Amino acid sequence: MRSPSQVCDATLKASARKALESIGGTDRYTELPGNQEYGDPHRFSVSLAAKRLHSELPRRNKCAVYKADGKNDFPLLDITFEPQVASSVPGKEAEAERSEVLYPIGAFAAVNSKPGSDYATLIFTCATKGPDGSASHVKASLYVPTNQTRPDSTTTDRMTVLNDVSRAMAEQLGCADEAALPTRVPEPAKG
């Protein structure tokens, strides 16, 4: 069992640990033990996620956090990172979809609620290079199935967790200054 301060490679600060507890209604979690078929550990590591950023999707390191009660085979939250080119980043002036809540952080940040799940997206400026070429941004994605979440948890809870893990990733990649990820998530721009 792991506490909120231990999951996602210990990247969650106090506000994100509280947000995680609000999302899941518990303070005890697990992450998958052991290794993937190609040798990398299942457990999330910021340094491994940075190293595998330009890898094929199955080889990327992700943070999958499960409730420790063992009642569900699916993660409470799943955080992934991928490189993005500037042309695929929505503009700050992008109109929010009806179900989307925008946040004034990074290059683009939104939480989108769909039936059965919430998706948080946080795109930040960070130049990276890989075998597939260069990218100007990194896209962080968080998936939360609503059947495992407390009904009173908020979009800001989701963005707070994603922001803290993304801040650690930006530090690891050496782009924390240009990433524009605050220590505390502000109120949504719309919603």
Side-chain angles (χ1 to χ4, degrees):
M1 279 212 260
R2 300 170 71 80
S3 71
S5 65
Q6 295 171 311
V7 299
C8 295
D9 200 12
T11 56
L12 304 184
K13 305 299 179 230
S15 60
R17 293 192 296 263
K18 186 177 176 209
L20 178 60
E21 289 181 37
S22 175
I23 293 168
T26 182
D27 64 355
R28 304 318 270 156
Y29 304 93
T30 61
E31 291 179 90
L32 289 177
N35 294 329
Q36 298 174 2
E37 61 274 3
Y38 42 82
D40 287 344
H42 281 291
R43 184 170 287 156
F44 179 75
S45 145
V46 175
S47 61
L48 184 58
K51 180 180 171 185
R52 296 275 187 247
L53 181 66
H54 283 267
S55 298
E56 295 172 5
L57 186 60
R59 292 198 61 125
R60 291 188 198 138
N61 188 239
K62 67 179 182 176
C63 179
V65 177
Y66 297 77
K67 288 183 181 181
D69 63 16
K71 293 180 182 169
N72 204 311
D73 292 338
F74 297 99
L76 169 65
L77 61 86
D78 199 327
I79 298 174
T80 58
F81 293 93
E82 63 184 282
Q84 292 278 284
V85 293
S87 60
S88 67
V89 177
K92 291 259 191 204
E93 67 288 338
E95 274 301 309
E97 296 177 28
R98 258 187 294 197
S99 60
E100 197 170 54
V101 179
L102 299 176
Y103 287 84
I105 60 176
F108 178 81
V111 177
N112 195 331
S113 299
K114 297 192 173 174
S117 61
D118 286 341
Y119 295 89
T121 302
L122 177 52
I123 301 173
F124 57 92
T125 303
C126 188
T128 60
K129 287 186 176 150
D132 57 344
S134 298
S136 58
H137 293 77
V138 172
K139 178 182 179 183
S141 302
L142 176 140
Y143 167 76
V144 178
T146 50
N147 67 347
Q148 291 195 58
T149 61
R150 286 183 28 193
D152 61 342
S153 69
T154 66
T155 59
T156 301
D157 290 333
R158 288 144 180 73
M159 189 55 68
T160 298
V161 170
L162 186 58
N163 182 65
D164 272 13
V165 181
S166 297
R167 281 173 51 86
M169 184 69 156
E171 291 265 338
Q172 180 71 35
L173 292 168
C175 58
D177 289 344
E178 62 264 34
L181 302 177
T183 54
R184 188 165 201 88
V185 172
E187 289 299 309
K190 294 182 181 174

